[in-house]
Amino acid sequence: MGIQTYTIQKGDTLTKIAAEHYGLKGNEAYQKALEIAKDNNIKNPNLIYAGANLNLLFEDEPKADNVQQPQQNVPMKQQPAIEHENKNPEADVVNTYQKLLNMQKQYFQYQDAKEGYTEAPKDFNPETDSKMRFIDAKALETDDVPAKVQAYAAAALELAEQDIEANDTKDENGKKDGAISYEEFEKSEMAFFEASQGAAMRLRAEDQFAMEYLTEHGVLPDEALIKEAGEQIYEGMITQYKASLGEMFQVFDVDGSGLLEKTEIATGYVMQDASTTVTENAIKLIGSNDEVLMADGEFDFDDTAIYVKNSDEAKEYQKMFGTDYIPVYYTAERVKEIHNNMFAA
């Protein structure tokens, strides 16, 4: 019988530890988590503390190359809209926007696979596929700040135009309005969420229910009850997420028209890029209050950032996803300021 000592990291759960160190998935990982709790005299399997040590038991001595190192969770961050089915051949061209979406989706699937929730995406290399540049780096190699901002704004507007091309649907008269309505925004955001994180979030919801049930009743619920209750928890997460989408839409709808127009969508891309990036070739976007944002024209998918409006919302997301991240506080004033500084005529 081999024993390995593991120090609990912030963001760990017993199920995650079981998946990483024993190569298990789903219910098998959950059952192993209960064994780990029993072996270490943990009364509540849903309550563990960073810095504490666990004894992980193996029938044979654990092999170094088979033991996965602990990984930091990566939370959901606000994504641009995903392309839905579109019969327009021009929208089927593989462009920067679509490439960004595909890489983002694969990145989330890769993170879920590390935790044992889903299969790893094919042909995904985390060393090379975790970032995507959407502006020519040479355009930023100048000391002329206005020129940098102009080049950066042009690149963000191009992404926004492709976003609209993919998601703007025809009205009853067969015409497009050249912008994104809330219905189109929500549909595309939820399509992205389901494709990139739906399977993993459902399993997390089932795990949450099973742990709570075990703590309260001392026994595990049957599989059917876990599935049913997990789905209810997942639907609650979806409801909460949709509510946040509605609030975000209103903030980025700077002119209050009820549509996200090209400059407003481009502002969203600026926020996504500028959130946590500080680089040598950064662009300084200075508002009336001298607040500085940094942007380098490259999306880093492993930035642990998420858009929130206040500290209470940040805590709710942290409770839901159980991970560290850097809150990016977006307010109507900040969004409007960036929009007007970069895109207003």
Side-chain angles (χ1 to χ4, degrees):
M1 176 74 68
I3 300 178
Q4 179 195 2
T5 300
Y6 173 72
T7 301
I8 298 171
Q9 306 296 308
K10 195 170 184 179
D12 274 346
T13 66
L14 290 181
T15 302
K16 178 185 174 185
I17 293 169
E20 291 177 347
H21 290 266
Y22 293 89
L24 302 175
K25 297 181 181 180
N27 189 56
E28 290 183 353
Y30 172 68
Q31 296 295 334
K32 176 57 72 173
L34 299 181
E35 293 181 18
I36 295 173
K38 182 179 179 181
D39 293 338
N40 289 272
N41 297 316
I42 298 174
K43 294 182 179 179
N44 183 354
N46 204 31
L47 186 62
I48 58 176
Y49 299 93
N53 290 328
L54 293 176
N55 289 326
L56 304 181
L57 307 183
F58 296 83
E59 293 184 4
D60 300 315
E61 288 291 337
K63 298 179 180 180
D65 57 353
N66 287 336
V67 177
Q68 298 179 4
Q69 296 301 313
Q71 301 286 344
Q72 291 295 324
N73 287 340
V74 174
M76 179 181 63
K77 84 169 81 167
Q78 184 61 38
Q79 305 296 336
I82 188 174
E83 71 277 16
H84 49 72
E85 184 178 358
N86 195 320
K87 300 302 183 182
N88 181 356
E90 294 180 359
D92 294 331
V93 177
V94 179
N95 51 29
T96 304
Y97 164 76
Q98 292 172 323
K99 182 179 179 181
L100 168 64
L101 290 171
N102 291 336
M103 291 177 69
Q104 286 176 317
K105 183 169 70 173
Q106 284 192 315
Y107 178 77
F108 278 107
Q109 291 171 342
Y110 166 74
Q111 291 295 332
D112 289 337
K114 288 198 303 184
E115 298 178 29
Y117 289 110
T118 59
E119 295 294 329
K122 296 180 179 179
D123 302 323
F124 181 82
N125 183 342
E127 298 298 323
T128 59
D129 297 338
S130 295
K131 298 181 180 181
M132 196 198 82
R133 174 165 289 280
F134 65 93
I135 182 174
D136 186 352
K138 292 182 179 180
L140 305 182
E141 296 174 357
T142 174
D143 295 328
D144 185 346
V145 174
K148 282 187 180 182
V149 174
Q150 184 177 9
Y152 183 85
L157 286 169
E158 183 178 348
L159 271 176
E161 187 173 347
Q162 295 174 9
D163 193 332
I164 293 172
E165 180 184 2
N167 292 292
D168 183 19
T169 56
K170 295 180 181 179
D171 60 21
E172 61 273 12
N173 297 318
K175 296 182 179 180
K176 295 185 176 184
D177 51 27
I180 295 179
S181 67
Y182 177 71
E183 290 74 17
E184 292 163 343
F185 173 75
E186 181 187 273
K187 180 179 179 181
S188 56
E189 287 287 343
M190 295 311 303
F192 183 91
F193 179 82
E194 182 65 31
S196 62
Q197 300 182 84
M201 289 303 297
R202 282 186 168 88
L203 289 174
R204 290 189 182 101
E206 292 174 8
D207 187 57
Q208 175 185 330
F209 169 73
M211 286 293 190
E212 292 174 353
Y213 189 97
L214 177 65
T215 301
E216 182 177 352
H217 301 282
V219 295
L220 279 173
D222 61 46
E223 195 70 25
L225 182 56
I226 291 176
K227 290 287 185 184
E228 180 181 355
E231 188 64 25
Q232 292 177 359
I233 293 173
Y234 177 76
E235 289 300 322
M237 293 177 178
I238 292 297
T239 299
Q240 181 178 347
Y241 184 54
K242 285 184 177 180
S244 71
L245 289 180
E247 295 169 354
M248 178 169 284
F249 184 91
Q250 289 181 335
V251 169
F252 280 91
D253 180 17
V254 175
D255 62 3
S257 66
L259 296 170
L260 291 184
E261 298 166 354
K262 186 163 67 172
T263 58
E264 294 166 337
I265 296 170
T267 302
Y269 284 114
V270 172
M271 290 289 289
Q272 182 174 336
D273 178 31
S275 59
T276 60
T277 304
V278 178
T279 69
E280 183 179 350
N281 291 322
I283 303 170
K284 295 182 179 180
L285 310 172
I286 304 176
S288 58
N289 60 352
D290 293 333
E291 186 173 32
V292 178
L293 290 175
M294 311 299 283
D296 66 351
E298 184 176 80
F299 292 126
D300 301 319
F301 305 145
D302 56 355
D303 278 350
T304 52
I306 187 169
Y307 292 120
V308 294
K309 297 184 300 302
N310 51 54
S311 58
D312 289 338
E313 187 173 276
K315 292 176 182 177
E316 284 298 315
Y317 274 107
Q318 189 173 37
K319 181 179 178 181
M320 182 185 299
F321 296 106
T323 186
D324 289 327
Y325 56 82
I326 301 172
V328 178
Y329 294 97
Y330 75 94
T331 64
E333 292 75 16
R334 168 179 270 187
V335 170
K336 184 175 182 179
E337 187 173 54
I338 295 172
H339 175 271
N340 291 345
N341 285 347
M342 292 198 70
F343 304 111

